Amino acid sequence: GEDVEQSLFLSVREGDSSVINCTYTDSSSTYLYWYKQEPGAGLQLLTYIFSNMDMKQDQRLTVLLNKKDKHLSLRIADTQTGDSAIYFCAEGRGSARQLTFGSGTQLTVLP
Amino acid sequence: IAGITQAPTSQILAAGRRMTLRCTQDMRHNAMYWYRQDLGLGLRLIHYSNTAGTTGKGEVPDGYSVSRANTDDFPLTLASAVPSQTSVYFCASSSGEGNEQFFGPGTRLTVL
């Protein structure tokens, strides 16, 4: 979606941290999400953050939200080969929390 | 526990034909959604439904219609398929509380 932007590719070495960045445009979005898609599969929710939060940590995942710059990031600590996938950020808006997705970032973890 | 199921898994369709993609969820979620996924464009919302009996248009609704006769089912119909509708289609549902949309496994549709 043109309202949510992500870089297309990221490569990291196994054991390093990965940081996937996302920018969005709608300041009225109340929820921001990170989804993971493995090859041939549907999307799986990794984590989400409310717009009134700055940071959320969940095990190896850390989400940072900068509302002023409309910037969202996902940090994966100790990246493993099983983390190789496409990662989508999305903003939720509207009465049914319709999601607007970024184009996805292909994360490749090198041994 | 099935979650969300979609049928068919894949389909090759001649242009001009009518096609209905099926989506069923057993989680009693109020909200359901249809997305299409195209390379480099992420997922784009086609139609959504807040609750049974109501539907709404998403970002790319043209050429598609939906119905929501009951809570569990949310079929997507292509009245007269065109090659630009070649895509992977994902159905999703949520409780409407804003936390998580659960996605089906997808339907790969090719229109020739």
Side-chain angles (χ1 to χ4, degrees):
Chain A
E2 59 182 289
D3 295 339
V4 181
E5 294 187 355
Q6 304 177 236
S7 54
L8 291 180
F9 303 100
L10 176 65
S11 293
V12 299
R13 292 283 178 190
E14 190 174 13
D16 288 348
S17 292
S18 307
V19 179
I20 303 172
N21 294 302
C22 172
T23 57
Y24 62 99
T25 58
D26 190 342
S27 58
S28 67
S29 296
T30 53
Y31 298 83
L32 294 144
Y33 305 84
W34 283 104
Y35 280 84
K36 176 183 181 182
Q37 184 180 34
E38 297 182 352
L43 275 70
Q44 173 193 2
L45 180 69
L46 284 178
T47 187
Y48 65 93
I49 189 168
F50 293 105
S51 59
N52 62 358
M53 298 169 64
D54 298 324
M55 185 185 81
K56 181 177 180 180
Q57 187 158 3
D58 184 1
Q59 299 182 340
R60 290 192 299 123
L61 305 178
T62 302
V63 178
L64 295 178
L65 174 61
N66 182 330
K67 283 196 71 175
K68 175 176 174 291
D69 296 336
K70 298 187 180 66
H71 182 267
L72 182 73
S73 67
L74 174 69
R75 179 177 180 270
I76 305 173
D78 187 24
T79 312
Q80 302 297 308
T81 55
D83 294 324
S84 292
I86 301 176
Y87 290 81
F88 292 93
C89 67
E91 55 178 349
R93 58 176 90 158
S95 59
R97 297 286 185 260
Q98 299 93 303
L99 297 182
T100 299
F101 285 86
S103 55
T105 298
Q106 172 76 60
L107 174 65
T108 301
V109 182
L110 305 171
Chain B
I1 299 175
I4 298 184
T5 57
Q6 293 184 236
T9 302
S10 65
Q11 180 76 44
I12 299 174
L13 189 67
R17 297 295 295 269
R18 180 184 178 89
M19 176 72 190
T20 295
L21 308 184
R22 300 185 297 278
C23 175
T24 300
Q25 53 102 359
D26 62 1
M27 297 175 283
R28 307 303 295 172
H29 284 167
N30 286 326
M32 297 187 74
Y33 314 83
W34 274 106
Y35 296 89
R36 59 176 290 172
Q37 183 177 24
D38 302 290
L39 192 63
L41 294 176
L43 278 80
R44 292 178 292 169
L45 182 66
I46 304 171
H47 286 286
Y48 66 94
S49 169
N50 282 339
T51 188
T54 69
T55 62
K57 293 182 179 180
E59 183 184 353
V60 288
D62 294 343
Y64 306 95
S65 64
V66 291
S67 61
R68 187 86 183 279
N70 57 61
T71 298
D72 298 345
D73 301 300
F74 191 42
L76 176 74
T77 298
L78 288 67
S80 179
V82 295
S84 62
Q85 292 177 310
T86 293
S87 187
V88 180
Y89 291 85
F90 288 100
C91 179
S93 73
S94 80
S95 62
E97 299 301 319
N99 286 356
E100 179 171 6
Q101 288 188 18
F102 293 85
F103 283 79
T107 294
R108 182 175 296 276
L109 181 67
T110 303
V111 183
L112 301 176

PDB file of all heavy atoms in Angstrom, chain B residues 20 28 31 41 59 65 79:
ATOM      1  N   THR B  20     -16.218 -17.989  -7.532  1.00  0.00           N
ATOM      2  CA  THR B  20     -16.424 -17.640  -6.121  1.00  0.00           C
ATOM      3  C   THR B  20     -15.356 -18.316  -5.279  1.00  0.00           C
ATOM      4  O   THR B  20     -15.192 -19.540  -5.340  1.00  0.00           O
ATOM      5  CB  THR B  20     -17.822 -18.052  -5.642  1.00  0.00           C
ATOM      6  OG1 THR B  20     -18.799 -17.292  -6.346  1.00  0.00           O
ATOM      7  CG2 THR B  20     -17.968 -17.781  -4.151  1.00  0.00           C
ATOM      8  N   ARG B  28     -16.048 -17.655  15.457  1.00  0.00           N
ATOM      9  CA  ARG B  28     -17.148 -16.745  15.783  1.00  0.00           C
ATOM     10  C   ARG B  28     -16.692 -15.286  15.776  1.00  0.00           C
ATOM     11  O   ARG B  28     -17.212 -14.457  16.518  1.00  0.00           O
ATOM     12  CB  ARG B  28     -17.784 -17.092  17.140  1.00  0.00           C
ATOM     13  CG  ARG B  28     -18.217 -18.541  17.276  1.00  0.00           C
ATOM     14  CD  ARG B  28     -19.191 -18.964  16.199  1.00  0.00           C
ATOM     15  NE  ARG B  28     -20.462 -18.265  16.281  1.00  0.00           N
ATOM     16  CZ  ARG B  28     -21.419 -18.342  15.354  1.00  0.00           C
ATOM     17  NH1 ARG B  28     -21.229 -19.046  14.251  1.00  0.00           N
ATOM     18  NH2 ARG B  28     -22.550 -17.685  15.512  1.00  0.00           N
ATOM     19  N   ALA B  31     -15.632  -9.736  12.490  1.00  0.00           N
ATOM     20  CA  ALA B  31     -15.098  -9.069  11.305  1.00  0.00           C
ATOM     21  C   ALA B  31     -14.375 -10.049  10.389  1.00  0.00           C
ATOM     22  O   ALA B  31     -13.654 -10.929  10.857  1.00  0.00           O
ATOM     23  CB  ALA B  31     -14.148  -7.942  11.721  1.00  0.00           C
ATOM     24  N   LEU B  41       3.623  -5.321  -3.987  1.00  0.00           N
ATOM     25  CA  LEU B  41       2.526  -4.436  -3.567  1.00  0.00           C
ATOM     26  C   LEU B  41       1.981  -4.803  -2.198  1.00  0.00           C
ATOM     27  O   LEU B  41       1.055  -4.177  -1.719  1.00  0.00           O
ATOM     28  CB  LEU B  41       1.396  -4.477  -4.592  1.00  0.00           C
ATOM     29  CG  LEU B  41       1.722  -3.913  -5.966  1.00  0.00           C
ATOM     30  CD1 LEU B  41       0.546  -4.103  -6.919  1.00  0.00           C
ATOM     31  CD2 LEU B  41       2.077  -2.422  -5.863  1.00  0.00           C
ATOM     32  N   GLU B  59      -9.623  -1.065  -0.478  1.00  0.00           N
ATOM     33  CA  GLU B  59      -8.790  -0.254  -1.368  1.00  0.00           C
ATOM     34  C   GLU B  59      -9.009  -0.586  -2.840  1.00  0.00           C
ATOM     35  O   GLU B  59      -8.957   0.290  -3.705  1.00  0.00           O
ATOM     36  CB  GLU B  59      -7.320  -0.469  -0.993  1.00  0.00           C
ATOM     37  CG  GLU B  59      -6.332   0.349  -1.775  1.00  0.00           C
ATOM     38  CD  GLU B  59      -4.887   0.007  -1.409  1.00  0.00           C
ATOM     39  OE1 GLU B  59      -4.671  -0.770  -0.450  1.00  0.00           O
ATOM     40  OE2 GLU B  59      -3.969   0.498  -2.081  1.00  0.00           O
ATOM     41  N   SER B  65     -17.236  -8.815  -5.592  1.00  0.00           N
ATOM     42  CA  SER B  65     -18.362  -8.604  -4.690  1.00  0.00           C
ATOM     43  C   SER B  65     -18.290  -9.618  -3.563  1.00  0.00           C
ATOM     44  O   SER B  65     -17.668 -10.678  -3.703  1.00  0.00           O
ATOM     45  CB  SER B  65     -19.695  -8.729  -5.439  1.00  0.00           C
ATOM     46  OG  SER B  65     -19.861 -10.041  -5.944  1.00  0.00           O
ATOM     47  N   ALA B  79     -17.271 -11.638 -10.835  1.00  0.00           N
ATOM     48  CA  ALA B  79     -18.402 -11.851 -11.747  1.00  0.00           C
ATOM     49  C   ALA B  79     -17.943 -12.210 -13.151  1.00  0.00           C
ATOM     50  O   ALA B  79     -18.538 -13.054 -13.824  1.00  0.00           O
ATOM     51  CB  ALA B  79     -19.285 -10.605 -11.782  1.00  0.00           C
TER      52      ALA B  79
END
